[in-house]
Coordinates of all heavy atoms in Angstrom, one line a residue:
K12 N 98.8 121.4 124.2 CA 99.2 120.2 124.8 C 99.7 119.2 123.8 O 100.7 118.5 124.0 CB 98.0 119.7 125.6 CG 98.3 118.5 126.4 CD 97.2 118.1 127.3 CE 97.5 116.8 128.1 NZ 96.4 116.4 128.9
E13 N 99.0 119.0 122.6 CA 99.5 118.1 121.6 C 99.0 118.7 120.2 O 98.1 119.5 120.1 CB 99.0 116.7 121.8 CG 97.5 116.5 121.8 CD 97.1 115.0 122.2 OE1 97.9 114.1 121.9 OE2 96.0 114.9 122.7
D14 N 99.7 118.2 119.2 CA 99.3 118.6 117.8 C 97.9 118.1 117.5 O 97.5 117.1 118.1 CB 100.3 118.2 116.8 CG 101.6 119.0 116.9 OD1 101.5 120.2 116.8 OD2 102.7 118.4 117.1
V15 N 97.2 118.7 116.5 CA 95.9 118.3 116.2 C 95.8 118.2 114.7 O 96.4 118.9 113.9 CB 94.9 119.4 116.6 CG1 93.5 119.1 116.2 CG2 95.0 119.6 118.1
I16 N 95.0 117.2 114.2 CA 94.6 117.0 112.8 C 93.3 117.6 112.6 O 92.3 117.3 113.3 CB 94.6 115.5 112.5 CG1 96.0 114.9 112.8 CG2 94.2 115.3 111.1 CD1 96.0 113.4 112.7
Y17 N 93.1 118.4 111.6 CA 91.9 119.0 111.2 C 91.4 118.4 109.9 O 92.2 118.3 109.0 CB 92.0 120.6 111.1 CG 92.4 121.2 112.4 CD1 93.7 121.5 112.6 CD2 91.4 121.6 113.3 CE1 94.1 122.1 113.8 CE2 91.8 122.2 114.5 CZ 93.1 122.5 114.7 OH 93.5 123.1 115.9
A18 N 90.1 118.0 109.9 CA 89.5 117.4 108.7 C 88.2 118.1 108.4 O 87.6 118.7 109.2 CB 89.3 115.9 108.9
S19 N 87.7 117.9 107.1 CA 86.5 118.5 106.7 C 85.3 117.8 107.4 O 85.3 116.6 107.7 CB 86.3 118.3 105.2 OG 85.0 118.6 104.8
E20 N 84.3 118.6 107.7 CA 83.1 118.1 108.3 C 82.5 117.1 107.3 O 81.9 116.1 107.8 CB 82.1 119.3 108.5 CG 80.9 118.9 109.3 CD 81.2 118.5 110.7 OE1 81.8 119.2 111.5 OE2 80.7 117.4 111.1
E21 N 82.7 117.2 106.0 CA 82.2 116.3 105.0 C 82.8 114.9 105.1 O 82.3 114.0 104.6 CB 82.4 116.9 103.6 CG 81.6 118.1 103.4 CD 81.9 118.7 102.0 OE1 81.3 118.3 101.0 OE2 82.8 119.6 102.0
D22 N 84.0 114.9 105.7 CA 84.7 113.6 105.9 C 84.5 112.9 107.2 O 85.0 111.8 107.5 CB 86.2 113.8 105.7 CG 86.6 114.1 104.3 OD1 86.0 113.6 103.3 OD2 87.5 115.0 104.1
R23 N 83.7 113.5 108.0 CA 83.4 112.9 109.4 C 82.9 111.5 109.3 O 83.4 110.6 110.0 CB 82.4 113.8 110.1 CG 82.1 113.3 111.5 CD 81.0 114.1 112.2 NE 81.4 115.4 112.5 CZ 82.0 115.8 113.7 NH1 82.3 114.9 114.6 NH2 82.2 117.1 113.9
E24 N 81.9 111.2 108.4 CA 81.4 109.9 108.3 C 82.4 108.9 107.8 O 82.5 107.8 108.3 CB 80.1 109.9 107.5 CG 79.4 108.6 107.5 CD 78.1 108.6 106.7 OE1 77.3 109.7 106.8 OE2 77.8 107.7 106.0
K25 N 83.1 109.3 106.8 CA 84.1 108.4 106.2 C 85.2 108.1 107.2 O 85.7 106.9 107.2 CB 84.8 109.2 105.0 CG 85.8 108.4 104.3 CD 86.4 109.2 103.1 CE 87.5 108.5 102.4 NZ 88.0 109.3 101.3
L26 N 85.5 109.0 108.1 CA 86.5 108.7 109.2 C 85.8 108.2 110.4 O 86.5 108.3 111.5 CB 87.3 110.0 109.4 CG 88.2 110.4 108.2 CD1 88.8 111.8 108.5 CD2 89.2 109.4 107.9
K27 N 84.6 107.8 110.3 CA 83.9 107.1 111.4 C 83.8 108.0 112.7 O 83.8 107.5 113.8 CB 84.6 105.8 111.8 CG 84.6 104.8 110.6 CD 85.4 103.6 110.9 CE 85.5 102.8 109.6 NZ 86.5 101.7 109.6
N28 N 83.7 109.3 112.5 CA 83.5 110.2 113.6 C 84.6 110.0 114.6 O 84.4 110.1 115.8 CB 82.1 110.1 114.2 CG 81.8 111.3 115.0 OD1 82.2 112.4 114.7 ND2 81.0 111.1 116.1
A29 N 85.8 109.7 114.2 CA 86.9 109.3 115.0 C 87.3 110.5 116.0 O 87.0 111.7 115.7 CB 88.2 109.0 114.2
K30 N 87.9 110.1 117.1 CA 88.4 111.1 118.1 C 89.9 111.2 118.0 O 90.5 112.3 118.2 CB 88.0 110.7 119.5 CG 86.5 110.6 119.7 CD 85.8 111.9 119.7 CE 84.3 111.7 120.0 NZ 83.5 112.6 119.2
R31 N 90.5 110.1 117.6 CA 92.0 110.1 117.4 C 92.3 109.2 116.2 O 91.7 108.2 116.0 CB 92.7 109.5 118.7 CG 92.4 110.4 119.9 CD 93.2 109.9 121.1 NE 94.7 110.1 121.0 CZ 95.3 111.3 121.3 NH1 94.6 112.3 121.7 NH2 96.6 111.4 121.2
V32 N 93.3 109.7 115.5 CA 93.8 108.9 114.3 C 95.3 109.0 114.2 O 96.0 109.8 114.9 CB 93.2 109.5 113.0 CG1 91.7 109.4 113.0 CG2 93.7 110.9 112.7
K33 N 95.9 108.1 113.4 CA 97.3 108.1 113.1 C 97.4 108.3 111.6 O 96.6 107.7 110.8 CB 97.9 106.8 113.5 CG 99.4 106.6 113.2 CD 99.8 105.2 113.4 CE 99.7 104.7 114.8 NZ 100.3 103.4 115.0
L34 N 98.3 109.1 111.1 CA 98.6 109.3 109.7 C 99.8 108.5 109.3 O 100.8 108.5 110.0 CB 98.8 110.8 109.4 CG 97.7 111.8 109.8 CD1 98.1 113.2 109.5 CD2 96.4 111.4 109.2
I35 N 99.7 107.9 108.1 CA 100.8 107.0 107.7 C 101.1 107.4 106.2 O 100.2 107.5 105.4 CB 100.4 105.5 107.8 CG1 100.0 105.2 109.2 CG2 101.5 104.6 107.3 CD1 99.3 103.9 109.4
S36 N 102.4 107.6 105.9 CA 102.8 107.9 104.6 C 103.9 106.9 104.2 O 104.3 106.1 105.1 CB 103.4 109.4 104.5 OG 104.8 109.4 105.0
P37 N 104.4 106.9 103.0 CA 105.4 106.0 102.6 C 106.7 106.2 103.4 O 107.6 105.3 103.5 CB 105.7 106.3 101.1 CG 104.4 106.9 100.6 CD 103.9 107.6 101.8
F38 N 106.9 107.4 104.0 CA 108.1 107.7 104.8 C 108.1 107.4 106.3 O 109.1 107.3 106.9 CB 108.4 109.2 104.5 CG 108.5 109.6 103.1 CD1 107.4 110.3 102.5 CD2 109.5 109.2 102.3 CE1 107.4 110.6 101.2 CE2 109.6 109.5 100.9 CZ 108.5 110.2 100.4
G39 N 106.9 107.4 106.8 CA 106.8 107.2 108.3 C 105.3 107.5 108.8 O 104.4 107.6 108.0
E40 N 105.2 107.6 110.1 CA 103.8 107.8 110.6 C 103.9 108.6 111.9 O 104.9 108.8 112.5 CB 103.2 106.4 111.0 CG 103.9 105.6 112.0 CD 103.3 104.2 112.2 OE1 103.1 103.5 111.2 OE2 103.0 103.8 113.3
T41 N 102.7 109.2 112.2 CA 102.6 110.0 113.4 C 102.2 109.2 114.5 O 101.9 108.0 114.4 CB 101.5 111.1 113.2 OG1 100.2 110.4 113.1 CG2 101.7 112.0 112.0
K42 N 102.3 109.8 115.7 CA 101.7 109.2 116.9 C 100.2 109.3 116.8 O 99.7 110.0 115.9 CB 102.2 109.9 118.2 CG 103.7 109.8 118.4 CD 104.1 108.4 118.7 CE 105.6 108.4 119.0 NZ 106.1 107.1 119.1
D43 N 99.4 108.7 117.6 CA 98.0 108.9 117.7 C 97.7 110.4 118.1 O 98.2 110.8 119.1 CB 97.3 108.0 118.8 CG 97.6 106.5 118.5 OD1 98.1 106.2 117.4 OD2 97.2 105.7 119.4
L44 N 96.9 111.0 117.2 CA 96.6 112.5 117.5 C 95.1 112.7 117.5 O 94.4 112.0 116.8 CB 97.3 113.3 116.4 CG 98.8 113.3 116.4 CD1 99.3 114.0 115.1 CD2 99.4 113.9 117.6
P45 N 94.7 113.7 118.2 CA 93.3 114.1 118.1 C 92.9 114.6 116.8 O 93.7 115.3 116.1 CB 93.1 115.2 119.2 CG 94.5 115.7 119.4 CD 95.5 114.6 119.1
I46 N 91.7 114.4 116.3 CA 91.2 114.9 115.1 C 89.9 115.8 115.4 O 89.1 115.4 116.2 CB 90.9 113.8 114.1 CG1 90.5 114.4 112.7 CG2 89.8 112.8 114.6 CD1 90.5 113.4 111.6
E47 N 89.9 116.9 114.7 CA 88.7 117.8 114.8 C 88.2 118.1 113.4 O 88.9 118.3 112.5 CB 89.2 119.1 115.5 CG 89.6 119.0 116.9 CD 90.0 120.3 117.6 OE1 89.7 121.4 117.0 OE2 90.6 120.3 118.6
F48 N 86.9 118.1 113.3 CA 86.2 118.3 112.0 C 85.6 119.7 112.0 O 85.1 120.2 113.0 CB 85.1 117.3 111.9 CG 85.5 115.9 111.9 CD1 85.6 115.1 113.0 CD2 86.0 115.3 110.7 CE1 86.0 113.8 113.0 CE2 86.5 114.0 110.6 CZ 86.5 113.2 111.8
N49 N 85.8 120.4 110.9 CA 85.2 121.7 110.7 C 84.9 122.0 109.3 O 85.4 121.3 108.4 CB 86.1 122.8 111.4 CG 87.4 123.0 110.6 OD1 87.3 123.4 109.5 ND2 88.5 122.9 111.3
K50 N 84.1 123.1 109.0 CA 83.7 123.4 107.7 C 84.7 124.2 106.9 O 84.5 124.4 105.7 CB 82.4 124.2 107.8 CG 82.5 125.5 108.5 CD 81.2 126.3 108.6 CE 81.5 127.6 109.3 NZ 80.3 128.4 109.3
H51 N 85.8 124.5 107.5 CA 86.8 125.4 106.8 C 87.9 124.5 106.0 O 88.6 125.1 105.3 CB 87.5 126.3 107.8 CG 86.5 127.2 108.5 ND1 85.9 128.2 107.9 CD2 86.1 127.2 109.8 CE1 85.1 128.8 108.7 NE2 85.2 128.2 109.9
I52 N 87.9 123.3 106.2 CA 88.9 122.4 105.6 C 88.2 121.8 104.3 O 87.1 121.3 104.4 CB 89.4 121.3 106.5 CG1 90.0 121.9 107.8 CG2 90.3 120.3 105.8 CD1 91.3 122.7 107.5
K53 N 88.9 121.7 103.2 CA 88.4 121.2 102.0 C 88.2 119.7 102.1 O 89.1 119.0 102.7 CB 89.3 121.5 100.8 CG 88.9 121.0 99.5 CD 89.9 121.4 98.5 CE 89.6 120.8 97.1 NZ 90.6 121.2 96.1
K54 N 87.1 119.1 101.6 CA 86.9 117.7 101.6 C 88.1 116.9 101.0 O 88.6 117.3 100.0 CB 85.6 117.4 100.8 CG 85.2 115.9 100.8 CD 84.0 115.7 100.0 CE 83.6 114.2 100.0 NZ 82.4 113.9 99.3
G55 N 88.5 115.9 101.8 CA 89.6 115.0 101.3 C 91.0 115.6 101.6 O 92.0 115.0 101.3
T56 N 91.0 116.7 102.4 CA 92.2 117.3 102.8 C 92.4 117.4 104.3 O 91.4 117.5 105.0 CB 92.3 118.8 102.2 OG1 92.1 118.8 100.8 CG2 93.5 119.5 102.6
L57 N 93.6 117.2 104.8 CA 93.8 117.3 106.2 C 94.8 118.5 106.4 O 95.6 118.8 105.6 CB 94.5 116.1 106.7 CG 93.7 114.8 106.6 CD1 94.5 113.6 106.9 CD2 92.4 114.8 107.4
F58 N 94.7 119.1 107.6 CA 95.6 120.1 108.0 C 96.1 119.6 109.4 O 95.3 119.2 110.2 CB 95.0 121.5 108.2 CG 96.0 122.5 108.8 CD1 96.9 123.1 108.0 CD2 96.1 122.7 110.2 CE1 97.8 124.0 108.5 CE2 97.0 123.5 110.7 CZ 97.9 124.2 109.9
V59 N 97.4 119.6 109.6 CA 98.0 119.1 110.8 C 99.0 120.1 111.4 O 99.9 120.6 110.6 CB 98.8 117.8 110.6 CG1 99.3 117.2 111.9 CG2 97.9 116.8 109.9
S60 N 98.8 120.5 112.6 CA 99.9 121.3 113.2 C 101.1 120.5 113.5 O 101.0 119.2 113.5 CB 99.3 121.9 114.6 OG 99.0 120.9 115.5
F61 N 102.2 121.1 113.5 CA 103.4 120.3 113.8 C 104.4 121.1 114.7 O 105.5 121.4 114.3 CB 104.1 119.7 112.5 CG 104.4 120.7 111.5 CD1 105.8 121.1 111.3 CD2 103.5 121.2 110.6 CE1 106.1 122.0 110.3 CE2 103.8 122.1 109.6 CZ 105.1 122.5 109.5
H62 N 103.9 121.4 115.9 CA 104.7 122.2 116.8 C 105.5 121.3 117.8 O 106.4 121.8 118.4 CB 103.7 123.1 117.7 CG 102.9 124.0 116.8 ND1 103.5 125.0 116.1 CD2 101.6 124.1 116.6 CE1 102.6 125.7 115.4 NE2 101.4 125.1 115.7
R63 N 105.1 120.0 117.9 CA 105.7 119.2 118.9 C 106.4 118.0 118.3 O 105.8 117.2 117.6 CB 104.7 118.7 119.9 CG 104.2 119.9 120.8 CD 102.8 119.7 121.4 NE 102.3 120.8 122.1 CZ 101.6 121.8 121.5 NH1 101.3 121.7 120.2 NH2 101.2 122.8 122.1
A64 N 107.7 117.8 118.6 CA 108.5 116.7 118.0 C 107.9 115.3 118.3 O 107.9 114.4 117.5 CB 109.9 116.8 118.4
K65 N 107.3 115.2 119.5 CA 106.8 113.9 120.0 C 105.6 113.4 119.1 O 105.3 112.2 119.1 CB 106.4 113.9 121.4 CG 105.3 114.8 121.8 CD 105.0 114.7 123.3 CE 103.8 115.6 123.6 NZ 103.5 115.6 125.0
S66 N 105.0 114.3 118.4 CA 103.9 113.9 117.5 C 104.3 113.2 116.3 O 103.6 112.5 115.6 CB 103.1 115.2 117.0 OG 102.5 115.8 118.1
M67 N 105.6 113.4 115.9 CA 106.2 112.7 114.8 C 105.6 113.1 113.4 O 105.7 112.3 112.4 CB 106.1 111.1 114.9 CG 106.8 110.6 116.2 SD 108.6 110.8 116.2 CE 109.0 109.7 114.9
V68 N 105.0 114.3 113.3 CA 104.4 114.7 112.0 C 105.5 114.9 111.0 O 105.3 114.5 109.8 CB 103.7 116.1 112.2 CG1 103.2 116.6 110.9 CG2 102.5 115.9 113.2
N69 N 106.7 115.3 111.3 CA 107.8 115.5 110.3 C 108.2 114.2 109.7 O 108.7 114.2 108.6 CB 109.0 116.2 110.9 CG 108.8 117.6 111.1 OD1 107.9 118.3 110.5 ND2 109.5 118.2 112.1
A70 N 107.9 113.0 110.3 CA 108.2 111.7 109.8 C 107.4 111.5 108.5 O 107.8 110.6 107.7 CB 108.0 110.6 110.8
L71 N 106.3 112.2 108.3 CA 105.4 111.9 107.1 C 106.1 112.4 105.8 O 105.7 111.9 104.7 CB 104.1 112.7 107.3 CG 103.2 112.2 108.4 CD1 102.0 113.2 108.5 CD2 102.7 110.8 108.2
F72 N 107.0 113.3 105.9 CA 107.5 114.0 104.7 C 108.8 113.4 104.1 O 109.1 113.7 102.9 CB 107.8 115.5 105.0 CG 106.6 116.2 105.6 CD1 106.5 116.5 106.9 CD2 105.5 116.4 104.8 CE1 105.4 117.1 107.5 CE2 104.3 117.0 105.3 CZ 104.3 117.4 106.7
G73 N 109.5 112.7 104.8 CA 110.8 112.1 104.2 C 111.8 113.2 103.9 O 111.6 114.4 104.3
D74 N 112.8 112.9 103.1 CA 113.8 113.8 102.8 C 113.6 114.5 101.4 O 114.3 115.4 101.0 CB 115.2 113.1 102.7 CG 115.6 112.6 104.1 OD1 115.2 113.2 105.1 OD2 116.3 111.5 104.1
E75 N 112.6 114.1 100.7 CA 112.3 114.6 99.4 C 111.9 116.1 99.5 O 111.2 116.5 100.4 CB 111.1 113.8 98.9 CG 111.1 113.7 97.4 CD 110.0 112.7 97.0 OE1 110.2 111.5 97.0 OE2 108.9 113.2 96.7
G76 N 112.3 116.9 98.5 CA 112.0 118.3 98.5 C 111.1 118.6 97.3 O 111.0 117.9 96.4
D77 N 110.4 119.8 97.4 CA 109.6 120.3 96.3 C 110.5 120.7 95.2 O 111.4 121.5 95.4 CB 108.8 121.5 96.8 CG 107.8 122.0 95.8 OD1 108.3 122.7 94.8 OD2 106.6 121.7 95.8
Q78 N 110.3 120.2 94.0 CA 111.2 120.5 92.9 C 111.2 122.0 92.4 O 112.1 122.4 91.8 CB 110.9 119.6 91.7 CG 109.5 119.9 91.1 CD 109.2 118.9 89.9 OE1 110.0 117.9 89.8 NE2 108.2 119.2 89.2
F79 N 110.1 122.7 92.7 CA 110.0 124.1 92.3 C 110.6 125.1 93.3 O 111.3 126.0 92.9 CB 108.6 124.4 91.9 CG 108.0 123.6 90.8 CD1 107.1 122.6 91.1 CD2 108.5 123.7 89.5 CE1 106.6 121.8 90.1 CE2 108.0 122.9 88.5 CZ 107.0 121.9 88.8
V80 N 110.3 124.9 94.5 CA 110.7 125.9 95.5 C 111.9 125.4 96.4 O 112.4 126.2 97.2 CB 109.5 126.4 96.4 CG1 108.5 127.2 95.6 CG2 108.9 125.3 97.2
K81 N 112.3 124.2 96.2 CA 113.4 123.6 96.9 C 113.3 123.6 98.4 O 114.3 123.9 99.1 CB 114.7 124.4 96.4 CG 114.9 124.5 94.9 CD 115.2 123.2 94.3 CE 115.5 123.4 92.8 NZ 114.8 122.5 91.9
T82 N 112.1 123.4 98.9 CA 111.9 123.2 100.3 C 111.3 121.8 100.6 O 110.9 121.2 99.6 CB 111.0 124.3 100.9 OG1 109.7 124.2 100.3 CG2 111.6 125.7 100.6
A83 N 111.2 121.5 101.8 CA 110.5 120.2 102.2 C 109.1 120.2 101.7 O 108.5 121.3 101.6 CB 110.6 120.0 103.7
K84 N 108.5 119.1 101.5 CA 107.1 119.0 101.0 C 106.1 119.0 102.1 O 105.4 118.1 102.3 CB 107.0 117.7 100.2 CG 107.6 117.7 98.9 CD 107.2 116.5 98.1 CE 107.5 116.6 96.6 NZ 107.0 115.5 95.9
F85 N 106.2 120.1 102.9 CA 105.3 120.2 104.0 C 103.8 120.4 103.7 O 102.9 120.1 104.5 CB 105.6 121.4 104.9 CG 107.0 121.2 105.6 CD1 107.9 122.2 105.6 CD2 107.3 120.1 106.3 CE1 109.1 122.1 106.2 CE2 108.5 119.9 106.9 CZ 109.4 120.9 106.9
K86 N 103.5 120.8 102.4 CA 102.1 121.0 102.1 C 101.5 119.9 101.2 O 100.3 120.0 101.0 CB 102.0 122.4 101.4 CG 102.4 123.5 102.3 CD 102.1 124.8 101.6 CE 102.4 126.0 102.6 NZ 102.0 127.2 102.1
S87 N 102.2 119.0 100.8 CA 101.6 118.0 99.9 C 102.2 116.6 100.1 O 103.3 116.3 99.5 CB 101.8 118.4 98.5 OG 103.1 118.5 98.1
V88 N 101.6 115.8 100.9 CA 102.0 114.4 101.0 C 100.7 113.6 101.2 O 99.8 113.9 101.9 CB 103.0 114.2 102.2 CG1 102.4 114.5 103.5 CG2 103.6 112.8 102.2
K89 N 100.6 112.5 100.4 CA 99.5 111.6 100.6 C 99.7 110.7 101.8 O 100.8 110.2 102.0 CB 99.3 110.8 99.3 CG 98.9 111.5 98.1 CD 98.7 110.6 96.9 CE 98.3 111.5 95.7 NZ 98.1 110.7 94.5
V90 N 98.6 110.6 102.6 CA 98.7 109.8 103.8 C 97.5 108.8 103.8 O 96.4 109.1 103.2 CB 98.7 110.6 105.1 CG1 99.9 111.5 105.1 CG2 97.4 111.5 105.2
R91 N 97.6 107.8 104.6 CA 96.5 106.9 104.9 C 96.1 107.3 106.4 O 97.0 107.5 107.2 CB 97.0 105.4 104.8 CG 95.9 104.4 105.2 CD 96.3 103.0 104.9 NE 97.6 102.6 105.4 CZ 97.8 102.0 106.6 NH1 96.8 101.8 107.4 NH2 99.0 101.7 106.9
V92 N 94.9 107.3 106.6 CA 94.4 107.6 107.9 C 93.9 106.4 108.6 O 93.1 105.6 108.1 CB 93.2 108.6 107.9 CG1 92.7 109.0 109.3 CG2 93.6 109.9 107.1
E93 N 94.5 106.1 109.8 CA 94.2 104.9 110.6 C 93.4 105.4 111.8 O 94.0 106.1 112.6 CB 95.4 104.2 111.0 CG 95.2 102.9 111.7 CD 96.5 102.2 112.0 OE1 97.1 101.6 111.1 OE2 96.9 102.2 113.2
V94 N 92.1 105.0 111.9 CA 91.3 105.4 113.1 C 91.8 104.6 114.3 O 91.9 103.4 114.3 CB 89.8 105.1 112.8 CG1 89.0 105.4 114.0 CG2 89.4 106.0 111.6
V95 N 92.1 105.3 115.4 CA 92.5 104.7 116.6 C 91.4 104.6 117.6 O 91.2 103.5 118.2 CB 93.7 105.5 117.2 CG1 94.2 104.9 118.5 CG2 94.8 105.7 116.2
E96 N 90.6 105.6 117.7 CA 89.4 105.5 118.6 C 88.3 106.3 118.0 O 88.4 107.2 117.2 CB 89.6 106.1 120.0 CG 90.8 106.7 120.4 CD 90.8 107.3 121.8 OE1 89.9 108.1 122.2 OE2 91.7 107.0 122.5

């Protein structure tokens, strides 16, 4: 139904046990998306699906490419997490 942000169980308290958040980078921001916490994600790291254009996940990456593999920086962009609910 919508893309999901996955975060470490260890970051749950830091993220105020949020249900929905928005990710913001220097290039753009996502829509409000659900966040799920689990033990498989490394502390301080987020994983985000990006199957739906309306989520605006691609706006986080800008036009910059990875200098080594010459592809978009889909795997490494620093973001600020804004708790929505």
